[in-house]
Amino acid sequence: MCCTLSNQQRCHQCMFIVLHHMMRPLIVGLVARADLLNWAVHWMMVFVIGVTVGLLAIEKCSDKGCLSLSLLELLAFNMTFVFIASVLVLIEPVAAGSGIPEIKSYLNGVKIPGIVRLRTFLCKAAGVLFSVAGGLFVGKEGPMIHSGAIVGAGLPQFQSITFRKIKFDFPYFRSDRDKRDFVSAGAAAGVAAAFGAPIGGTLFSLEEGSSFWNQALTWKVLFCSMSATFTLNFFRSGINFSKWGSFQLPGLLNFGEFKCPDGDKNCHLWTAVDLAFFVLMGVVGGLLGALFNCMNKYLAKYRIRHIHPKAKFIRVLESLLVTMVTTIVIFAASMLGECRDLSTPTAHNTTLAGSEDINSTIRQFFCSNKTYNDMATLFFNPQEAAIHQLFHQDGTFSPVTLSVFFFLYFLLACWTYGVSVPSGLFVPSLLCGAAFGRLVANVLKVKLGMDIYSGTFALIGAAAFLGGVVRMTISLTVILIESTNEITYGLPIMITLMVAKWTGDFFNKGIYDIHIQLRGVPLLEWETEVEMDRLTASDIMETNLTYVYPHTRVQSLVSILRTTVYHAFPVVTENRQNERDFMKGNILISNNIHFKKSSVVSRAGEQRRRCQSMKSYPSSELRNVCDEQSAAVEPSEEGEDLLQQMLERSIAVTEFRVT
């Protein structure tokens, strides 16, 4: 109605007012959401600043030093190490995380760019050292699997994209099948080296990794896993004990020996009555694992939407923020720990290095002599040593300490997994679950007066939580049995893992499948959905198929690449005699494209020289012909760059034969 006025300026003002009233609710909603996020970040930073200043004001000193100075030193070291790890991830983004989802996708037939490159291996191996040394709640076992897969993919090729100039005449193992087999062997060797479990590594590659398996590959992968285990055992035993060939340290993570004290006939590792509690712990572990995966999924979505699109240094700042909060929480929580008396070493109370006593890894943290701080013992030890404490320490950890430790470790590990540093999830999940199992054992001992072995419940709790997070069954059972060297734990571990998996699958998928889905990888599941059982081939096939011939011109290939979104095209031939020639796969097609590209360049140069000579003629018809021919050549010159990009991306050309 306002536009009927004669004044044009008045009409524009009226339209602006109408649009303003229409868009006002949307604008107000966006502003309110941004203000809420800004408000939350401000309050979090204010809290961190207040806690930091409060800790700095504490002048609790002893003859070994002051707490505030120790906090500043630890913050400086941790943030420096994590900064280096984040920078390495910026150099090669694929090196972030554990790498297991990417390797699982690769073995499923999906090639993720850069996943098995040498530069990824260097950034992964160096980055995980700094991320673990930086005090983050991450493990090195997951990156070990990724590193093993990279070695398996690159070593048999005798060449690397990173070092293009170094070439060897080694034409073997070039097919995709051979590469997948070697990657499967490398991933299994990584598990075997991490846990000292060659059989578990083979089953891990079979259960979680490869979609293509055969009997011959089983023996090859097992032999590779055995070689990795004994090689690591040989060098670690020689370096740590100066006894070369003694084979005393089978893997990077070993749970120690579970056995009752000598002469104690009433002691037992577990009984049939304990199986009922193991089943309940499996249910709780599945619920906790589903909660962990759900929280981490929302955190990953938030990072994808709000952190990854921004400048790269924002990811580094997030890693430094996580490091700072983790360090402060460790210090603050350790001050809440209780001072407990040291226990007398027993026959089964040994770990880590042969005769080394479990009490050597306790932490006093301002407690008096012959006492230890139970919270600091869990926080200020390497994660492997903390797991040993929960498995083998006779001295009890208070229920309050175990509850606070589990709660804080659960939240911080969930927040940490997904930041831009190389990180694993096996050991943090084991440690978090071990605290849960030890808490259950304390309750059963103190409240119900049951005579149980606390280390067994800690082991079952670790298996329940890890199974609820990763949803592995067969391979994880064998890995835990090989790590404990106790075959009698086979039945309770298997039952606990099955119950944890069934409980967690009721709510969501495993953590690795969730991250594969967030990356948009088209992973083929082992079991199809119910809706797919009613589909036929005609429901999913493309009616307008784009295909090429063996001798398709370069200009036609460029036109196909510009007008389609696919990365693979069938090569069609009707000549049966040429079938043998086109069984070579991508090599023959690539050679043809290289040949066509070189011939196009030579023809284009000749055409330009001919056109320059034709322009000297006075006839306008010759000049018009020259312009038309030049216009026909230009797409081929542009196509040269597209073809080069296509070859560098190694686009797979699938061959079909039409009869």
Side-chain angles (χ1 to χ4, degrees):
M1 292 186 299
C2 297
C3 293
T4 58
L5 299 176
S6 59
N7 192 347
Q8 189 69 18
Q9 185 178 4
R10 183 74 176 274
C11 179
H12 287 299
Q13 293 178 354
C14 186
M15 292 177 62
F16 177 77
I17 295 174
V18 173
L19 291 175
H20 175 73
H21 283 285
M22 294 175 61
M23 299 295 295
R24 184 175 181 180
L26 178 61
I27 296 174
V28 171
L30 293 176
V31 172
R33 186 175 181 180
D35 291 341
L36 180 61
L37 180 62
N38 191 23
W39 175 84
V41 173
H42 272 78
W43 274 102
M44 184 177 65
M45 294 305 300
V46 168
F47 171 75
V48 172
I49 293 173
V51 173
T52 304
V53 175
L55 291 175
L56 292 177
I58 299 175
E59 291 296 336
K60 187 173 183 180
C61 300
S62 66
D63 55 349
K64 297 182 180 180
C66 296
L67 184 63
S68 58
L69 295 179
S70 301
L71 175 60
L72 290 177
E73 292 175 359
L74 187 59
L75 274 174
F77 279 108
N78 288 351
M79 296 183 72
T80 301
F81 290 151
V82 173
F83 175 77
I84 297 174
S86 299
V87 171
L88 291 173
V89 170
L90 293 184
I91 297 175
E92 186 57 67
V94 188
S98 64
I100 295 179
E102 290 81 2
I103 295 301
K104 185 176 180 180
S105 303
Y106 183 89
L107 295 176
N108 196 259
V110 182
K111 294 184 178 180
I112 300 177
I115 190 61
V116 290
R117 292 185 60 180
L118 179 61
R119 187 169 66 179
T120 305
F121 171 76
L122 297 176
C123 294
K124 192 86 171 186
V128 70
L129 296 178
F130 288 106
S131 59
V132 173
L136 293 178
F137 292 163
V138 298
K140 54 182 178 293
E141 283 70 23
M144 188 72 185
I145 299 171
H146 188 189
S147 301
I150 297 175
V151 173
L155 193 59
Q157 305 297 314
F158 284 94
Q159 65 180 10
S160 174
I161 300 177
T162 306
F163 301 100
R164 298 173 184 265
K165 296 182 180 180
I166 302 176
K167 296 182 180 179
F168 296 94
D169 188 11
F170 191 77
Y172 305 103
F173 310 130
R174 300 300 180 189
S175 65
D176 291 339
R177 177 181 178 181
D178 291 334
K179 292 181 181 179
R180 284 195 301 267
D181 291 348
F182 284 119
V183 170
S184 300
V191 176
F195 297 96
I199 301 177
T202 304
L203 293 177
F204 172 84
S205 185
L206 172 62
E207 179 183 5
E208 288 295 315
S210 299
S211 300
F212 309 94
W213 200 267
N214 54 60
Q215 185 177 5
L217 182 61
T218 305
W219 277 109
K220 295 176 184 177
V221 172
L222 180 60
F223 177 74
C224 183
S225 301
M226 286 287 184
S227 303
T229 301
F230 284 100
T231 301
L232 178 66
N233 198 344
F234 175 80
F235 282 98
R236 288 195 69 201
S237 300
I239 294 173
N240 293 340
F241 302 122
S242 298
K243 297 180 180 179
W244 297 93
S246 58
F247 297 103
Q248 299 181 16
L249 296 174
L252 295 177
L253 177 63
N254 188 268
F255 296 152
E257 186 178 3
F258 290 78
K259 66 177 183 179
C260 294
D262 296 335
D264 189 359
K265 298 182 179 180
N266 295 326
C267 176
H268 49 266
L269 296 181
W270 66 278
T271 61
V273 179
D274 298 335
L275 287 176
F277 296 101
F278 296 160
V279 172
L280 294 178
M281 292 175 65
V283 173
V284 177
L287 294 175
L288 293 174
L291 177 62
F292 184 95
N293 295 351
C294 181
M295 294 172 57
N296 189 263
K297 180 180 179 180
Y298 282 106
L299 283 172
K301 287 184 176 180
Y302 179 84
R303 291 187 177 103
I304 293 174
R305 295 173 182 173
H306 302 284
I307 296 179
H308 292 176
K310 297 182 180 179
K312 292 184 178 181
F313 74 92
I314 299 297
R315 306 181 189 181
V316 179
L317 293 180
E318 183 197 12
S319 303
L320 295 178
L321 176 63
V322 173
T323 306
M324 183 179 64
V325 173
T326 301
T327 305
I328 294 175
V329 167
I330 288 175
F331 256 83
S334 298
M335 299 180 64
L336 303 177
E338 298 182 9
C339 294
R340 293 181 168 270
D341 296 332
L342 290 175
S343 60
T344 303
T346 57
H348 74 287
N349 210 10
T350 58
T351 181
L352 294 188
S355 61
E356 185 179 359
D357 180 25
I358 189 70
N359 289 336
S360 63
T361 58
I362 58 95
R363 296 291 179 264
Q364 284 185 280
F365 203 77
F366 297 103
C367 289
S368 59
N369 294 331
K370 296 184 179 181
T371 61
Y372 68 97
N373 188 314
D374 55 354
M375 186 76 76
T377 300
L378 296 177
F379 272 125
F380 281 101
N381 261 321
Q383 297 178 95
E384 293 80 3
I387 292 175
H388 277 272
Q389 288 285 343
L390 293 171
F391 284 172
H392 302 288
Q393 176 63 273
D394 281 343
T396 59
F397 295 90
S398 67
V400 176
T401 297
L402 293 173
S403 301
V404 173
F405 175 80
F406 173 80
F407 178 75
L408 295 178
Y409 207 95
F410 181 92
L411 296 180
L412 291 175
C414 183
W415 186 21
T416 304
Y417 189 73
V419 298
S420 295
V421 295
S423 58
L425 196 60
F426 272 93
V427 173
S429 299
L430 287 173
L431 180 54
C432 197
F436 159 68
R438 193 63 184 259
L439 176 62
V440 173
N442 284 4
V443 172
L444 294 179
K445 270 189 173 183
V446 177
K447 301 298 182 181
L448 301 181
M450 298 181 61
D451 185 15
I452 59 176
Y453 188 79
S454 300
T456 300
F457 278 79
L459 176 64
I460 297 300
F465 186 78
L466 181 59
V469 172
V470 301
R471 312 292 165 79
M472 295 164 52
T473 52
I474 303 175
S475 58
L476 188 56
T477 300
V478 178
I479 288 172
L480 293 177
I481 292 175
E482 290 184 288
S483 299
T484 57
N485 295 322
E486 187 62 50
I487 191 62
T488 58
Y489 281 138
L491 179 62
I493 290 176
M494 183 178 62
I495 293 177
T496 304
L497 289 176
M498 289 174 58
V499 174
K501 176 179 170 55
W502 292 340
T503 305
D505 287 341
F506 185 78
F507 297 96
N508 50 33
K509 296 182 178 180
I511 188 69
Y512 300 136
D513 293 329
I514 289 176
H515 280 266
I516 290 174
Q517 185 179 3
L518 291 175
R519 287 173 172 82
V521 177
L523 185 69
L524 294 178
E525 300 289 345
W526 286 104
E527 297 180 0
T528 60
E529 298 180 0
V530 180
E531 294 79 5
M532 294 184 180
D533 295 336
R534 295 189 294 268
L535 294 178
T536 60
S538 59
D539 296 329
I540 61 175
M541 293 182 66
E542 177 67 34
T543 56
N544 299 323
L545 182 64
T546 302
Y547 56 90
V548 296
Y549 291 102
H551 301 288
T552 303
R553 299 178 64 86
V554 173
Q555 186 173 355
S556 301
L557 293 177
V558 173
S559 177
I560 291 174
L561 290 174
R562 286 177 172 175
T563 56
T564 60
V565 295
Y566 306 110
H567 293 280
F569 304 94
V571 179
V572 179
T573 177
E574 297 181 355
N575 191 351
R576 292 180 177 270
Q577 296 179 356
N578 292 340
E579 180 179 0
R580 183 178 59 182
D581 297 335
F582 290 96
M583 290 301 291
K584 295 181 180 179
N586 299 336
I587 300 177
L588 180 61
I589 299 302
S590 301
N591 292 338
N592 286 342
I593 292 176
H594 277 297
F595 174 76
K596 288 172 180 284
K597 187 177 69 173
S598 61
S599 62
V600 166
V601 173
S602 61
R603 290 200 304 269
E606 180 66 25
Q607 190 67 33
R608 283 194 297 270
R609 289 192 297 270
R610 188 177 301 174
C611 287
Q612 291 177 359
S613 62
M614 291 173 64
K615 287 182 179 180
S616 60
Y617 288 91
S619 175
S620 60
E621 295 180 0
L622 293 176
R623 289 196 297 268
N624 294 337
V625 172
C626 179
D627 294 338
E628 293 176 359
Q629 292 178 349
S630 299
V633 173
E634 287 178 0
S636 297
E637 295 176 355
E638 296 176 0
E640 178 186 355
D641 297 334
L642 291 177
L643 287 173
Q644 183 65 29
Q645 296 176 5
M646 180 180 68
L647 291 174
E648 291 179 355
R649 295 198 308 264
S650 300
I651 296 180
V653 180
T654 308
E655 300 183 8
F656 295 94
R657 183 179 179 277
V658 179
T659 56

